[in-house]
Amino acid sequence: MHGRPRKASKPEDEAASAAKAVKLRSLQSQFMTYHHEKIYTKEAIELSTKLLEINPEAYTAWNYRKLAVEDSLSRIESDPNSVKSILDEELRVVENALKQNFKSYGAWHHRKWVLSKGHSSTGNELKLLDKFQKLDPRNFHAWNYRRFVVELTNRSEQDELQYTDDMINNNFSNYSAWHNRSVLLSSLLANRVDGFIPEKKIPDEYEIVHQAIFTDPDDQSGWFYHLWLLAQTVNVESPLLTSSWPSHGSSVILSGAGCLIGSPFNVITFCSETGSVPLILYFDQAVGGVSSLTVTIDSELKGNENLVWEPISNKSSQVSCVWVARLKYLISEPCESKEYKVKVRLGNSPGIISSRGFNFSTPYEFVFTAHVHDTAKDSQERIVSWTDGFELWNAQSKDLNSLATSDQLNAGIDLKWRQAAIDSEIECFRLLADSKIGKLTLARLLMASEAMMSDAVVKGVHYEEILQLYNDLMALDSSHHHYYKDEHSVAFLHKVTSSSESLSRYLFRYRGMNNLVCLRLNKLSLSRIASVEKLLFVQMLDLSHNELHSTEGLEAMQLLSCLNLSHNRIRNFSALDSLRHVKQLKVLDVSHNHIGKHSVDTTRYLCSSPLSNSDWSQDDVRRQNPGLVTKYWDAYFVLRDLNLKQLDIAGNEIAGDEFNSFVLQVVPKLVWLNGQKPGN
Amino acid sequence: MSSASSSQMGQLVADKHVRYILMAEKKESLESVVMDHLRMNGAYWGLTTLDLLDKLGTVSEDEVVSWIMTCQHESGGFAGNTGHDPHILYTLSAVQILALFDKINILDVGKVSSYVAGLQNEDGSFSGDMWGEIDTRFSYIAICCLSILKCLDKINVEKAVEYIVSCKNLDGGFGCTPGAESHAGQIFCCVGALAITGSLHHVDKDLLGWWLCERQTKTGGLNGRPEKLPDVCYSWWVLSSLIMIDRVHWIDKAKLAKFILDCQDLDNGGISDRPEDAVDIFHTYFGVAGLSLLEYPGVKAIDPAYALPVDVINRIAFTK
C-alpha cells in the first residue's frame, strides 16, 4: 500500500499474480474451516504458519494460533521443556512474520502475548530489538516493544537513558531516540533521582541538542526536544497568580443598574442589575481547588463569606487559569456613597493545585477599595456607537496597576540558573540567525527573556527584534506564514501591554455609557488575541478591521460589555464560543465577517454542543424550528447563552431574512439588530 | 490564505475515481485476497469517498447492508469480512457505513454497544478484541462508534479521557500507549476522541499545532512524523487534527491541495501515497477527504472528528 511504483502490469505478471491469488484463496478457506471447527492438529497449525508467512496481516490467523497454543498447553502436563518448545515455535513464527513486515501490529502483539505466558528471555528480546532498530531506527513498534520489555525486566531508567545516548551519538537524526530521552529524563527529574537536578541537567541537555540542531539546521529531530528544554527552563512548577481584577491598590466604583451621571473620569465604574461584580483571579497555569475555603475575602461588604468560585472553562473541566466569583454589594436602601476596603487572600490554606499536581503555596494577598453608589436615575437603553463619544484616558491612572509586574511572578524562585540558561542560549542562536530554526528559536528565547525580566527600565527592549524576526520568518518560510503571523500578533500585544505608557495610547473612555474603559486595537493586522491577563479591567473592546478568526482568549475579560469584531475573518458563530463565559456582554458587532462563506468549521469541536456530547435542554425555539436549529446550530447555541441587547451581523453571507428572524427568536430580549429596533 | 481553487493547480478527476472504486470492489486480484480480512474498512473508505463525491447512489445499498450483517459475530462485534473474527476496528467501519445509508436502525444497538463497551479496561483504555491489544486507536474507535449509536454513557468516559491524556507527549502529540512516540495517526485518534467527548481543553493547541504544521514538507505534502516522507494519508490525519484544534491556517492549504491532486492516476482513477506510486482505495479516500477539508469544489464537507459527511453527523447529533 505504500511506496510501490505505479506501472501498468504486464500480462505475464498478471497471470503470475492471479495464480498466487488462487493459491492464497484456497489456503485461507482451508484455514477458516480449521478455525471454525476448532481443529488444532499439527497439520492445521502448520497451515496457519504458512498463511502468516505469506500474509502476516491476517489477524484471524493470529487469534487461531493463540487458541491452538492454549489447546496444546492444556494437553501437556506443564513439562517445562514442552511448554518452552511450544512457545519458542510461536516466537519463531512471529520473527518470520516480522521479517515480512516489521510493522505488523498482529505479529508484535502475538509476541507480547507469548511473553505474558511467563516464558521470557530478556537477552533474546533485546537482541531481536537491536536487529530491528538497526534495520529501521524509527520503527515505533520496536520502540514500543522495547518499553514493554524494559518494564517487564525492570531495566533502570538511567540504563535506558544511556541507550538513547548511544542511538543519538550514532545518528542525531533519530526523533524516536530524542522522544524516548525526553520521557526518561522528565521522569528522572520529576522523581528527583540522584544527580538529576534541573539546574545542572538542563544546561547539559542544551549542549547535547545543539549538536543536532547546528549540524543540520533543516533536520527537525532536535527542534522539539529543544522546545521542551525551553519549557523546563521557563516554567516554574508551583502555580502563581499572574494578575487579578480588581488589582492591588486600585479603586472601583460599584453601582446599581442605572447609569451613573458624572462618574469620576479616572476610576473604573461598574454597574449591575444584580448588585454583584466579578472578582477575577488569573493564574500562570491551569489550577483546581479555588473555593471559599482556599480564597478568603476580608471586607465589611456583607454576604461574601462563602463565595462560589467558578473556573472559566468548558463544562467538563474542573481546572482553569481563570477563576471568577461574584462579589456582592447589594444596595438595600438609598444611601450616600460608602467606601469599603476588600482584602483577598490566597495560599494560606492548601487546596489550590495545578493540573500537574503542584500546590499554590506562597501566600498572597491584594487589597482594593470599592465605592458603592446608589443608582442615580432610570437608565435609558441607548444604542452604542463605536465612532463617537470617545476621549483619551489619562495615562497616569493607578488603574493600570495590573500592568505592574506581579510580586508573585518574580519571587526569585531559582531564577538565576533559568536566566543564565536563556542568556546563554540567546548567544548561541544568534550564530544561527540565518536559518529558519535559528530565527524562530531566537524569537522564542527573547520572548522568554522578556517574561522573566523584572527591571522596569530594561523591560520591553527585545520586542522590536522579536517582531522583526517574525517578519523575516514570514518571508523565509512562507508555507508557515500564518504561524509566524499569529506569533507576531502575540508579541505585538505583549509589547503594547508591557508598560502603562504604551498601553495608554490605546485606552479611551466612552462617554455614551458611564465612561466605560475602552481599549481600541482596531486596524492593527492582529490575527490573534493575547496578553488578556493584563487587560482584565477592559469594559469595551474595539478589535474591528483586523484578521481575527476566533475569540479564543477573551473568556477571561469578565467586565467586557461591548465588543466590536466587525471587518475580521470570523467564519462561524462557533468561533465565538468563548464569549458564552462573558456574562456582562450586551453589545456585539460581528458585521462584515465571513460567516456563512465556508463549508469547513474549524471551531466545530471547540464549541460546547451536542456534537461534542454536551447536554442540551430543549426549548421552544428547538421545538418549533428543528430544521433551522440544525442549519444554524452554532448561532443557536452561542447566541442563546448571551444576554445581548445590541447585535450587528450585516455583511455576512449568512445574514438575510431567514437568519435574521431566527436570531430574533433565539435572542428575544434583543433591542437593536443591525442598528434598527426589530418590528419597526 | 484563500481556499484551494481548481483553476490554478490541476483538476480532481472525480468520475475516474468513482469508476476506480466501483471496479475495485469486484476484482479478485492478489491484492484484494491479501486484504480480504479488512474488506469492511475498504468498504467504508470506498463508500464514504463515493458519498463525498455525491455518488453513493451508484451502489446497491441492500447488497452492502446484507453483506455487512453477515460479518456480525454472536458477541455483537463485526469482523473484517465474513468468517473472520470480530474486532473493534471493523465494528466502527460497519456502524459508519450504516450511518452513511441512514440504516443504523437495522442494528440491535444494545448488542453492538455492549460489545464495544465491554472492551474498556480498568485504566480507561480499550482493547481491540478479546485478545487484549491496547492502543489509543481503539479508544477513538469506541468513543466514535458509541457516540454515533448515542450510547456513550455505556462506558466510563472520564477514565477513557484520562487514559488518552496519559498518552500525551512532551511535544504536545499523542502515541499508541503511554510513552509512545507522537504519530499523526495516533494524534488524529486522540484529538478526535477528545473532540467528541468535549475534552479538547486537555490539548495544548499551540504546541501540538506547531508540531503538526511542521509536517508540511517542501513538496507541499504532509508527513506523519519528523524526517519522514510525505504521504497522502497524512493529508487526512494531520489536517483533520489541525482543523479540530483550529490551527489549520498554520499550513499552506493550496500547496497541500496541489500535492494531493498530483497523486491522482489521471488515466485510471485512484490516488496513491505519493506522485507516481501505485493507487489504492485507502489513499483514494484520504486524498478526497483531505480535499474536502481544504474546501475543494465539488466535494461534500466531511466532519473532521467522525470522518463521515457533515450532513450525516449533523443529522445524528441534532435529532433527539
Side-chain angles (χ1 to χ4, degrees):
Chain A
M1 276 208 295
H2 286 97
R4 294 169 310 144
R6 178 184 310 172
K7 52 183 183 199
S9 46
K10 298 181 229 138
E12 19 333 345
D13 291 336
E14 281 213 28
S17 225
K20 278 196 197 146
V22 168
K23 226 178 139 204
L24 186 58
R25 179 59 83 196
S26 127
L27 248 182
Q28 277 174 191
S29 328
Q30 183 60 65
F31 160 74
M32 279 300 180
T33 311
Y34 286 145
H35 179 47
H36 292 142
E37 294 178 16
K38 305 196 202 301
I39 295 170
Y40 306 120
T41 59
K42 191 159 173 256
E43 188 193 351
I45 296 176
E46 279 279 324
L47 188 92
S48 77
T49 309
K50 243 199 275 177
L51 179 57
L52 286 168
E53 251 166 45
I54 300 173
N55 190 6
E57 293 299 88
Y59 72 97
T60 307
W62 290 114
N63 295 353
Y64 168 84
R65 285 199 80 90
K66 293 179 182 65
L67 290 166
V69 164
E70 284 180 344
D71 178 78
S72 306
L73 289 177
S74 72
R75 288 169 197 281
I76 60 168
E77 267 138 40
S78 324
D79 164 29
N81 281 327
S82 307
V83 171
K84 187 175 188 301
S85 90
I86 290 171
L87 298 180
D88 272 342
E89 171 63 4
E90 294 310 300
L91 295 178
R92 188 193 69 83
V93 171
V94 168
E95 226 183 293
N96 276 340
L98 288 176
K99 284 194 184 116
Q100 271 286 354
N101 174 9
F102 58 49
K103 296 181 185 178
S104 168
Y105 285 98
W108 285 106
H109 182 252
H110 193 71
R111 198 171 186 91
K112 280 191 198 168
W113 184 85
V114 171
L115 285 212
S116 75
K117 293 273 164 212
H119 171 67
S120 63
S121 155
T122 326
N124 278 344
E125 297 311 299
L126 291 177
K127 246 186 266 167
L128 181 80
L129 278 169
D130 268 332
K131 224 186 335 184
F132 280 107
Q133 288 190 291
K134 277 199 175 70
L135 278 172
D136 178 8
R138 299 296 305 281
N139 182 347
F140 66 79
H141 296 270
W143 279 99
N144 288 353
Y145 190 72
R146 190 186 179 88
R147 276 180 280 271
F148 167 76
V149 170
V150 159
E151 209 183 296
L152 215 56
T153 58
N154 271 313
R155 248 173 88 84
S156 78
E157 286 182 322
Q158 286 95 318
D159 279 342
E160 282 301 292
L161 194 70
Q162 183 58 51
Y163 180 77
T164 66
D165 244 340
D166 298 338
M167 295 294 281
I168 289 166
N169 283 330
N170 190 17
N171 177 11
F172 73 79
S173 182
N174 187 340
Y175 188 84
S176 312
W178 286 108
H179 161 75
N180 218 39
R181 193 176 180 79
S182 73
V183 173
L184 295 160
L185 197 58
S186 68
S187 170
L188 289 162
L189 288 170
N191 295 325
R192 310 204 190 296
V193 169
D194 241 358
F196 287 90
I197 328 161
E199 55 183 279
K200 290 259 155 63
K201 260 293 156 184
I202 304 290
D204 283 346
E205 292 298 309
Y206 275 126
E207 283 293 322
I208 299 174
V209 81
H210 282 172
Q211 289 164 46
I213 300 177
F214 283 70
T215 313
D216 180 0
D218 284 337
D219 188 310
Q220 297 189 358
S221 307
W223 292 5
F224 305 90
Y225 192 78
H226 190 274
L227 186 58
W228 173 65
L229 292 176
L230 184 56
Q232 295 293 95
T233 311
V234 164
N235 297 335
V236 171
E237 282 173 344
S238 303
L240 299 165
L241 189 71
T242 307
S243 65
S244 67
W245 188 83
S247 57
H248 180 64
S250 63
S251 277
V252 59
I253 296 177
L254 306 175
S255 88
C259 278
L260 204 56
I261 297 171
S263 61
F265 196 64
N266 58 351
V267 181
I268 290 177
T269 309
F270 182 86
C271 304
S272 161
E273 295 154 357
T274 59
S276 66
V277 61
L279 188 51
I280 312 170
L281 296 176
Y282 201 121
F283 295 88
D284 69 333
Q285 54 186 289
V287 295
V290 174
S291 70
S292 54
L293 295 171
T294 50
V295 180
T296 49
I297 313 287
D298 259 320
S299 174
E300 279 174 16
L301 273 173
K302 285 190 225 150
N304 293 304
E305 296 77 38
N306 290 308
L307 284 184
V308 175
W309 287 90
E310 276 169 2
I312 300 296
S313 61
N314 75 20
K315 292 173 203 167
S316 63
S317 174
Q318 302 300 319
V319 300
S320 178
C321 285
V322 186
W323 284 79
V324 176
R326 305 219 161 253
L327 190 73
K328 299 196 221 348
Y329 62 91
L330 290 166
I331 310 154
S332 44
E333 73 284 322
C335 61
E336 297 291 309
S337 73
K338 203 177 169 203
E339 201 178 281
Y340 298 87
K341 274 220 158 2
V342 181
K343 189 190 294 190
V344 181
R345 290 154 70 221
L346 49 161
N348 293 92
S349 5
I352 299 177
I353 307 183
S354 74
S355 42
R356 272 175 274 152
F358 294 98
N359 277 299
F360 181 95
S361 47
T362 321
Y364 183 72
E365 66 179 46
F366 60 96
V367 184
F368 62 91
T369 311
H371 300 264
V372 180
H373 282 240
D374 193 6
T375 310
K377 274 186 172 54
D378 284 302
S379 71
Q380 284 243 310
E381 298 273 15
R382 267 183 282 172
I383 197 169
V384 165
S385 153
W386 289 93
T387 47
D388 304 308
F390 291 88
E391 276 173 25
L392 207 56
W393 194 19
N394 180 2
Q396 302 308 309
S397 171
K398 274 192 292 200
D399 291 291
L400 298 182
N401 266 355
S402 52
L403 300 175
T405 328
S406 164
D407 290 333
Q408 278 258 302
L409 273 184
N410 292 295
I413 303 160
D414 54 0
L415 215 49
K416 261 184 134 170
W417 78 262
R418 297 170 192 276
Q419 279 172 330
I422 299 286
D423 289 339
S424 158
E425 285 305 288
I426 289 174
E427 246 186 76
C428 272
F429 276 86
R430 284 200 186 289
L431 300 172
L432 210 55
D434 286 331
S435 71
K436 157 184 161 171
I437 193 60
K439 287 187 197 286
L440 181 57
T441 309
L442 187 56
R444 288 171 171 162
L445 288 163
L446 292 171
M447 287 284 277
S449 181
E450 273 297 333
M452 278 191 208
M453 224 178 268
S454 45
D455 185 344
V457 176
V458 194
K459 206 168 165 62
V461 72
H462 290 308
Y463 287 117
E464 283 310 321
E465 188 180 358
I466 294 169
L467 293 171
Q468 187 53 56
L469 284 166
Y470 283 121
N471 283 331
D472 291 348
L473 284 162
M474 283 187 251
L476 183 62
D477 180 18
S478 61
S479 283
H480 298 116
H481 174 99
H482 287 282
Y483 173 71
Y484 304 123
K485 184 79 185 60
D486 279 1
E487 292 292 275
H488 185 283
S489 293
V490 170
F492 180 82
L493 287 171
H494 277 236
K495 175 174 174 235
V496 163
T497 57
S498 60
S499 73
S500 315
E501 289 73 52
S502 56
L503 185 59
S504 62
R505 264 176 273 150
Y506 301 90
L507 282 174
F508 296 79
R509 291 292 215 172
Y510 181 57
R511 273 186 282 108
M513 196 190 273
N514 268 354
N515 287 323
L516 286 183
V517 179
C518 179
L519 182 64
R520 309 201 76 141
L521 294 173
N522 49 344
K523 300 197 174 86
L524 294 169
S525 296
L526 294 172
S527 59
R528 193 164 165 166
I529 295 161
S531 274
V532 176
E533 66 276 11
K534 300 210 165 155
L535 301 171
L536 301 178
F537 61 93
V538 171
Q539 297 166 300
M540 263 180 100
L541 181 58
D542 187 349
L543 286 167
S544 62
H545 295 274
N546 278 300
E547 297 167 24
L548 299 169
H549 70 274
S550 148
T551 56
E552 191 186 332
L554 287 185
E555 61 276 5
M557 282 191 164
Q558 291 292 299
L559 298 188
L560 202 60
S561 57
C562 308
L563 176 61
N564 187 353
L565 289 166
S566 68
H567 297 275
N568 272 283
R569 297 183 185 175
I570 312 268
R571 297 153 65 123
N572 299 90
F573 276 92
S574 59
L576 307 175
D577 185 72
S578 65
L579 299 181
R580 286 157 93 174
H581 296 289
V582 184
K583 299 298 180 195
Q584 291 299 123
L585 197 65
K586 295 280 180 290
V587 175
L588 177 63
D589 186 344
V590 288
S591 64
H592 302 283
N593 273 280
H594 299 179
I595 305 177
K597 194 170 165 194
H598 293 275
S599 57
V600 170
D601 180 352
T602 62
T603 40
R604 186 168 161 86
Y605 288 98
L606 294 170
C607 172
S608 198
S609 86
L611 284 167
S612 45
N613 284 285
S614 199
D615 271 327
W616 183 16
S617 58
Q618 303 273 317
D619 62 4
D620 283 332
V621 179
R622 165 72 176 85
R623 275 185 272 271
Q624 287 156 23
N625 307 282
L628 290 181
V629 165
T630 304
K631 185 175 178 184
Y632 302 124
W633 68 272
D634 55 334
Y636 170 75
F637 284 101
V638 170
L639 291 175
R640 76 178 196 155
D641 273 358
L642 300 177
N643 300 310
L644 297 178
K645 291 275 184 284
Q646 180 178 335
L647 176 64
D648 280 74
I649 52 174
N652 284 293
E653 249 177 68
I654 202 177
D657 289 338
E658 183 186 79
F659 185 68
N660 291 9
S661 65
F662 180 67
V663 167
L664 293 171
Q665 284 183 62
V666 177
V667 199
K669 295 206 178 129
L670 200 61
V671 180
W672 288 280
L673 179 62
N674 296 331
Q676 306 280 340
K677 282 199 167 176
N680 262 17
Chain B
M1 204 137 283
S2 59
S3 53
S5 112
S6 52
S7 50
Q8 305 149 301
M9 69 197 43
Q11 238 198 329
L12 176 67
V13 293
D15 289 336
K16 297 231 160 100
H17 298 317
V18 169
R19 219 174 311 142
Y20 167 74
I21 291 169
L22 295 173
M23 286 184 46
E25 219 235 314
K26 299 177 171 70
K27 276 205 297 206
E28 180 71 0
S29 63
L30 178 59
E31 189 182 327
S32 63
V33 178
V34 164
M35 312 268 215
D36 189 67
H37 62 279
L38 51 74
R39 193 159 197 260
M40 191 65 74
N41 287 357
Y44 157 72
W45 296 324
L47 293 167
T48 309
T49 309
L50 290 176
D51 198 7
L52 290 175
L53 297 174
D54 217 1
K55 290 285 192 291
L56 190 60
T58 57
V59 292
S60 159
E61 181 181 310
D62 289 336
E63 248 185 73
V64 174
V65 170
S66 50
W67 164 72
I68 288 177
M69 296 316 288
T70 68
C71 299
Q72 187 170 29
H73 207 249
E74 57 192 4
S75 59
F78 286 80
N81 204 342
T82 324
H84 283 265
D85 287 352
H87 194 283
I88 207 176
L89 286 167
Y90 313 110
T91 307
L92 174 63
S93 291
V95 168
Q96 285 172 313
I97 297 169
L98 292 173
L100 279 179
F101 289 123
D102 197 5
K103 281 280 190 299
I104 299 271
N105 50 25
I106 71 160
L107 283 175
D108 176 347
V109 170
K111 199 158 170 216
V112 182
S113 55
S114 294
Y115 170 78
V116 174
L119 290 167
Q120 183 168 34
N121 302 307
E122 286 278 321
D123 62 0
S125 68
F126 283 84
S127 299
D129 64 10
M130 59 179 277
W131 297 108
E133 182 188 0
I134 293 175
D135 190 313
T136 46
R137 285 178 297 151
F138 308 144
S139 300
Y140 165 73
I141 286 169
I143 285 168
C144 180
C145 189
L146 293 175
S147 187
I148 292 173
L149 297 175
K150 295 194 170 281
C151 296
L152 248 193
D153 52 0
K154 276 184 128 158
I155 58 167
N156 185 335
V157 176
E158 213 183 295
K159 279 242 111 175
V161 168
E162 216 180 275
Y163 180 76
I164 291 169
V165 173
S166 77
C167 297
K168 185 166 52 164
N169 292 317
L170 299 165
D171 53 20
F174 295 83
C176 18
T177 44
E181 186 183 340
S182 299
H183 179 282
Q186 306 296 147
I187 290 170
F188 161 74
C189 290
C190 293
V191 173
L194 294 174
I196 293 171
T197 55
S199 316
L200 282 172
H201 53 274
H202 290 290
V203 178
D204 183 337
K205 303 196 280 291
D206 291 332
L207 183 60
L208 177 57
W210 185 56
W211 190 95
L212 286 170
C213 82
E214 283 293 340
R215 296 309 104 239
Q216 186 157 41
T217 65
K218 289 197 167 76
T219 63
L222 307 176
N223 61 26
R225 317 183 258 164
E227 301 307 306
K228 288 264 173 169
L229 293 173
D231 183 330
V232 153
C233 60
Y234 294 114
S235 308
W236 169 262
W237 286 317
V238 172
L239 199 55
S240 58
S241 303
L242 281 169
I243 285 182
M244 287 189 273
I245 61 173
D246 194 16
R247 297 290 186 272
V248 70
H249 56 293
W250 286 356
I251 59 160
D252 185 332
K253 295 194 262 188
K255 267 181 113 180
L256 176 60
K258 183 172 187 305
F259 177 84
I260 298 173
L261 292 168
D262 284 346
C263 293
Q264 297 177 100
D265 181 334
L266 297 171
D267 299 317
N268 305 310
I271 298 178
S272 56
D273 58 346
R274 251 158 253 133
E276 304 311 315
D277 270 357
V279 304
D280 57 54
I281 300 276
F282 177 83
H283 290 96
T284 304
Y285 163 71
F286 287 115
V288 172
L291 289 172
S292 168
L293 292 178
L294 295 170
E295 297 181 62
Y296 193 87
V299 186
K300 261 166 68 172
I302 191 169
D303 181 290
Y306 290 88
L308 284 171
V310 166
D311 53 19
V312 170
I313 296 304
N314 281 3
R315 187 216 320 138
I316 293 173
F318 298 115
T319 321
K320 265 244 160 151

